[in-house]
Amino acid sequence: MIRKDARIGDSLRELINSIKDSDIYHSYEEASAAVSQVPGLQERIDEYRRNNFLIQQNNEGEELLQKLEQFELDTAAFRAEPLVDKYLCAERDFVKLKQDIDNRMLSELEFSIPAGF
């Protein structure tokens, strides 16, 4: 659909370039490049992220809090590794930026999403 409206395509390219020029994206790229230099580290980070995701998707309420607390205790040494922490923080900041952009677009465009989605 973007191809049908050149103004939207141009604006999207400008937004993407602005994101690529941001400190947040540069930090993410730098951390990602550093992680790729350590054999097996990306896989360990991916496993950490996958396990964290599964805990959050498969648990609720008090059980969720307990499992997250145990997960944090079990992975504290891994998270304390400076490169791992730098990468996960940079990734979090980049994802937060994307979420903020998405949320702003939804609120400004008055796009309604039914409850429960």
Side-chain angles (χ1 to χ4, degrees):
M1 291 308 271
I2 292 173
R3 288 174 278 178
K4 292 183 179 183
D5 192 322
R7 288 182 323 144
I8 292 174
D10 291 344
S11 295
L12 181 57
R13 275 188 293 284
E14 186 177 337
L15 174 60
I16 291 168
N17 288 333
S18 294
I19 292 168
K20 286 181 176 181
D21 288 340
S22 72
D23 290 341
I24 290 172
Y25 190 72
H26 285 280
S27 293
Y28 174 72
E29 280 191 314
E30 179 183 302
S32 184
V35 163
S36 72
Q37 298 300 310
V38 180
L41 185 56
Q42 185 66 58
E43 290 80 8
R44 290 174 55 213
I45 290 172
D46 291 345
E47 180 181 353
Y48 167 88
R49 292 165 61 232
R50 186 173 23 263
N51 290 337
N52 186 23
F53 175 80
L54 289 172
I55 288 170
Q56 293 186 42
Q57 293 300 305
N58 296 320
N59 298 281
E60 294 180 355
E62 187 62 34
E63 183 180 22
L64 172 60
L65 296 175
Q66 290 173 351
K67 293 211 177 200
L68 282 175
E69 186 176 313
Q70 187 60 49
F71 180 72
E72 288 177 14
L73 290 171
D74 294 345
T75 60
F78 179 65
R79 279 298 311 258
E81 293 180 30
L83 188 51
V84 171
D85 185 60
K86 182 178 181 179
Y87 176 85
L88 291 172
C89 288
E91 179 186 56
R92 177 204 60 216
D93 292 346
F94 179 60
V95 168
K96 179 73 171 119
L97 173 64
K98 185 189 172 305
Q99 289 171 338
D100 289 349
I101 291 167
D102 291 345
N103 290 337
R104 177 77 184 269
M105 285 181 19
L106 286 174
S107 69
E108 294 286 330
L109 296 172
E110 300 180 25
F111 182 75
S112 65
I113 299 174
F117 282 90

